[in-house]
Amino acid sequence: MKRNESSYLDVFKSTSLFGSLQLLTMIVAIVRSKFVAVLLGPEGMGINGLLSSSTSLIMAFANLGISRSAVKNIAVTSKDGSNKKIVNVASALISMTWVLGLFSALLTFIFSGFLSEVSFGTDEFSFAFKWLSISILLSQLATSYEAVFRGMHKISMIAAATLKGSLLGLFISVPIYYVYGVEGLVPSIVLSSLLIYLINFYYYRKLNIRTSFLPTAPMVTEGKDMLRMGIILSISSVCILAESHYVRVFVRAYGSLEDVGFFNAGIAIINTYFGLFFASITMDYYPKLAAAASDNLKAIKLMIEQSEMTILIIAPFLVLFLVFIRPIVIILYSEEFLPLVELVLWASVGMFFKAASYALGVIFISKGDVKTLFWSEIVSTCVLFGLNLLGYLYYGLEGLGISFMLSNIYVYLQNYLLVKYRYDFCYSIDFLKLFSVILFLGLLAILSVKLFATPYNFVYGGCVLTITIYYCLIQLDKRINLFHILQAFINKRN
């Protein structure tokens, strides 16, 4: 397939724009995690992890997936250029979110004791779940506004709202943790949710979309496509979040709250921080792929380009984490959290495969192929759940990292085979060469950590990191003429 420099450049520009702001958001998240680790310790992080996973699970169950499915509807409607259609879709989305959000908040309030028993094995946290019902409503409303931003391709709005929400959340949470310790977790979560809602609402108003609350009949009529697709997505999301939540419950039951805290901190490094990279990479990609989904050749071209750019952008950061994982854990948290190093090491290897498969999985929702998406997510979640339980039982925290790696390898193979046989997808030779070299460098990085003692591990690992950065820069230059762009930028600055 012929390489298109301008297409690669579009991916790079959109990633750089959103990614630069996401990098600032990540720094804020790192600072916040540092304060949480120091002020609350592993046990406090364990409680925070269980509360967060519980509320995420409730929202996924009650939201019926409409915020996720609405992005496609709004992207298609926005492409047609009809403001009236956008207003109708947005009105239906926000109206349904209010109804479902109030319903989920009420359920949380009523069953707060049950949720506390299931999550913590005691009713001690029932009052906390009553307060978190407010956060559940506000978070769902904020997510509905973000879905409109994504569908309309308002990347700068999403980035600005995310950054401001993170900053304000940091400034509010840290003093609360300092004064109240673990007891400040719930007030911090509720106040942060309120701030994020207000910020998203502020940016939504700037779109000048005059949405209104729809009565039941027109709301269902206008939103039936979102509901049909969303319900399927909701079931798979609930399964994914249930797996995440019950792994934490399992770790608490067979280990301790401290182990839950270590697991939560390790997953934060892998999923939260690297998740920001994936968010910035796919923010522009998903609406673009949704608009081109009817043309298989165009969609495949986009998928290959996105896969290559994702690997090239994220690989140096992954190798950096592998080589310097011990000092990174101490910087991000404290020496008290060093037991999670082995977890993060193995999980980071799995991220190479997640980076390769990420662009492939988006095609299912872009084409509206919810059946394939549903079963692929259900099966991969079951595989991850089984591996997590076995991993922790036999190898503790390190086993959770190994299970994360193995599950991502499985998901990569599953997604590749599905898109190959359903949509005639085939990788380019360039991608296969690229991925092979990057994976080999990643394995060299982890071997440098496993085989050599300090400081030799940093010396050998530093060499691997240097080679990785050089290789990725050369490959980026082949695709987007990177060195010419940098030279032009330097000349302009001078």
Side-chain angles (χ1 to χ4, degrees):
M1 188 174 290
K2 187 178 179 180
R3 183 176 291 171
N4 187 335
E5 183 179 305
S6 64
S7 185
Y8 280 107
L9 192 58
D10 286 342
V11 176
F12 183 77
K13 284 180 177 178
S14 61
T15 302
S16 300
L17 170 65
F18 192 66
S20 58
L21 288 170
Q22 287 290 71
L23 180 61
L24 294 174
T25 304
M26 184 173 70
I27 293 170
V28 174
I30 289 171
V31 173
R32 184 173 182 172
S33 294
K34 180 71 174 181
F35 277 106
V36 173
V38 172
L39 296 174
L40 305 184
E43 183 175 346
M45 289 201 76
I47 294 171
N48 183 52
L50 284 168
L51 290 174
S52 299
S53 62
S54 299
T55 53
S56 296
L57 178 58
I58 294 165
M59 285 190 289
F61 174 76
N63 187 253
L64 299 182
I66 57 172
S67 294
R68 193 175 168 192
S69 64
V71 175
K72 180 178 184 296
N73 293 58
I74 294 169
V76 174
T77 303
S78 181
K79 183 184 176 183
D80 294 339
S82 172
N83 188 63
K84 184 178 179 180
K85 288 183 179 179
I86 294 174
V87 169
N88 291 340
V89 175
S91 294
L93 169 63
I94 293 169
S95 298
M96 287 189 293
T97 302
W98 266 106
V99 173
L100 295 169
L102 287 168
F103 176 70
S104 58
L106 181 62
L107 282 180
T108 304
F109 190 89
I110 293 172
F111 293 101
S112 57
F114 171 76
L115 292 169
S116 179
E117 287 282 357
V118 170
S119 300
F120 295 93
T122 173
D123 62 357
E124 180 183 347
F125 292 88
S126 58
F127 192 67
F129 278 104
K130 283 183 168 67
W131 276 105
L132 287 175
S133 62
I134 300 171
S135 174
I136 286 170
L137 171 62
L138 294 171
S139 296
Q140 289 187 82
L141 291 171
T143 303
S144 68
Y145 296 136
E146 185 179 321
V148 178
F149 301 152
R150 290 189 67 187
M152 295 183 69
H153 201 206
K154 301 296 182 181
I155 297 175
S156 58
M157 281 190 174
I158 301 172
T162 303
L163 179 60
K164 288 178 180 178
S166 298
L167 279 170
L168 290 173
L170 173 67
F171 293 137
I172 282 182
S173 298
V174 172
I176 293 175
Y177 294 150
Y178 181 78
V179 175
Y180 297 103
V182 174
E183 292 182 359
L185 276 170
V186 173
S188 171
I189 293 171
V190 174
L191 287 173
S192 296
S193 299
L194 176 61
L195 283 171
I196 292 170
Y197 164 73
L198 292 174
I199 291 168
N200 276 276
F201 180 70
Y202 166 76
Y203 280 104
Y204 180 75
R205 290 292 295 271
K206 294 183 75 171
L207 292 175
N208 292 320
I209 300 176
R210 298 185 178 181
T211 50
S212 58
F213 191 86
L214 300 179
T216 303
M219 177 175 65
V220 174
T221 301
E222 188 63 46
K224 62 183 179 182
D225 287 338
M226 285 185 283
L227 280 171
R228 187 183 299 114
M229 184 176 183
I231 289 171
I232 301 297
L233 295 176
S234 175
I235 295 171
S236 61
S237 294
V238 166
C239 291
I240 292 169
L241 291 168
E243 186 279 331
S244 176
H245 177 65
Y246 284 109
V247 165
R248 287 172 170 83
V249 173
F250 181 84
V251 171
R252 177 194 60 77
Y254 286 86
S256 63
L257 271 174
E258 285 82 2
D259 272 4
V260 178
F262 292 137
F263 175 64
N264 210 56
I267 292 300
I269 292 175
I270 296 301
N271 280 344
T272 304
Y273 304 145
F274 281 107
L276 292 175
F277 282 102
F278 289 125
S280 61
I281 288 166
T282 58
M283 189 58 63
D284 176 66
Y285 171 58
Y286 173 29
K288 189 186 295 183
L289 188 61
S294 57
D295 185 339
N296 257 15
L297 288 177
K298 189 174 181 181
I300 289 170
K301 181 174 175 291
L302 283 171
M303 290 161 69
I304 292 174
E305 291 171 353
Q306 191 69 53
S307 296
E308 291 180 5
M309 294 300 287
T310 302
I311 289 289
L312 288 172
I313 291 170
I314 206 170
F317 295 98
L318 279 171
V319 172
L320 175 70
F321 263 74
L322 285 168
V323 174
F324 298 100
I325 186 58
R326 289 182 67 85
I328 285 173
V329 167
I330 295 172
I331 291 169
L332 292 180
Y333 301 113
S334 68
E335 289 189 4
E336 195 177 2
F337 284 79
L338 283 175
L340 63 84
V341 165
E342 295 297 325
L343 185 158
V344 177
L345 268 179
W346 290 109
S348 296
V349 177
M351 291 300 285
F352 285 98
F353 292 92
K354 184 169 184 175
S357 69
Y358 207 75
L360 304 185
V362 179
I363 189 63
F364 304 131
I365 189 171
S366 298
K367 281 183 171 289
D369 190 357
V370 290
K371 184 178 179 181
T372 302
L373 177 65
F374 172 78
W375 285 112
S376 66
E377 290 189 345
I378 292 296
V379 172
S380 59
T381 301
C382 290
V383 170
L384 175 61
F385 186 60
L387 288 172
N388 273 333
L389 298 190
L390 291 172
Y392 185 72
L393 276 176
Y394 288 100
Y395 300 104
L397 290 171
E398 183 177 8
L400 291 172
I402 294 171
S403 70
F404 187 92
M405 176 189 69
L406 293 176
S407 64
N408 274 290
I409 293 173
Y410 171 80
V411 170
Y412 170 64
L413 294 173
Q414 175 184 273
N415 281 348
Y416 172 70
L417 292 173
L418 283 171
V419 296
K420 176 179 174 62
Y421 290 108
R422 287 191 67 81
Y423 312 122
D424 296 322
F425 177 83
C426 185
Y427 276 126
S428 64
I429 297 297
D430 285 343
F431 174 81
L432 295 175
K433 290 179 181 177
L434 175 71
F435 184 64
S436 299
V437 173
I438 292 294
L439 183 59
F440 177 70
L441 290 169
L443 293 174
L444 286 181
I446 197 171
L447 285 175
S448 71
V449 177
K450 288 285 189 180
L451 298 180
F452 299 105
T454 305
Y456 301 106
N457 58 332
F458 296 135
V459 174
Y460 290 111
C463 292
V464 176
L465 177 61
T466 303
I467 294 170
T468 304
I469 293 172
Y470 177 76
Y471 178 76
C472 290
L473 287 175
I474 293 296
Q475 293 301 316
L476 281 170
D477 185 59
K478 288 181 180 179
R479 287 160 175 79
I480 62 172
N481 204 3
L482 178 64
F483 296 146
H484 175 76
I485 294 172
L486 292 175
Q487 185 62 51
F489 177 76
I490 293 170
N491 292 338
K492 186 178 180 181
R493 297 288 292 180
N494 292 334

